[in-house]
Amino acid sequence: MDDSGLLAALIGHERFRDDYAGGGVLPDGARHGPYWLRVITPDLDELVSEEHAARILREWVEPLLEVSTELESDMRREVFDRLAVADALYHLSELGDEALHDWGRVHDCFHELVLIDRSAGQLTLVVAADD
């Protein structure tokens, strides 16, 4: 399956229906993060470099001022090590105001990366969000 097909399968999966505002996955939900699910399509994901993806995540965590050693270790193992071996990295671009759902502005920041690692047979969704 090509990257577009993998992204479409991810978007179609019920676990993608999470608003990341504390409610968890709603199998019949209509929201993904701050956006209406219906507006998200594979062509909105931009292919990015490992450096670009790492910069997005570092800028997201930087305002925490003091990142604990434990968080840094977890991020290295669960995210940055995966970025390094991924065959393709996609970033969901900013979709604009018309894509926001009825209370989507609860998120001050929302970043989504999709990591495709074909040799491991893994597709990883990384969401960095706050509300």
Side-chain angles (χ1 to χ4, degrees):
M1 184 179 298
D2 67 3
D3 289 1
S4 182
L6 291 172
L7 293 168
L10 173 67
I11 294 165
H13 196 279
E14 75 175 33
R15 305 254 335 139
F16 197 75
R17 290 160 176 77
D18 192 329
D19 56 34
Y20 296 97
V25 173
L26 299 173
D28 295 323
R31 296 174 183 87
H32 176 74
Y35 304 117
W36 290 112
L37 182 63
R38 70 178 179 268
V39 302
I40 301 174
T41 59
D43 61 312
L44 296 174
D45 285 292
E46 173 189 10
L47 187 62
V48 296
S49 68
E50 176 187 350
E51 294 77 20
H52 184 84
R55 185 172 54 251
I56 290 167
L57 295 170
R58 290 277 178 215
E59 288 173 359
W60 173 75
V61 80
E62 201 171 87
L64 296 177
L65 299 176
E66 292 185 33
V67 176
S68 71
T69 304
E70 182 180 358
L71 176 59
E72 183 68 34
S73 176
D74 288 348
M75 286 187 68
R76 168 70 41 215
R77 182 184 64 256
E78 297 297 330
V79 181
F80 293 107
D81 288 351
R82 293 179 192 215
L83 291 177
V85 298
D87 298 299
L89 303 167
Y90 288 90
H91 178 241
L92 180 64
S93 49
E94 180 65 37
L95 303 185
D97 289 343
E98 64 279 354
L100 291 173
H101 61 67
D102 47 349
W103 50 269
R105 291 194 190 283
V106 70
H107 290 287
D108 292 327
C109 294
F110 182 84
H111 303 286
E112 176 177 302
L113 297 165
V114 179
L115 292 55
I116 299 173
D117 182 348
R118 292 187 182 283
S119 63
Q122 293 181 332
L123 185 142
T124 304
L125 175 66
V126 176
V127 174
D130 54 9
D131 61 7

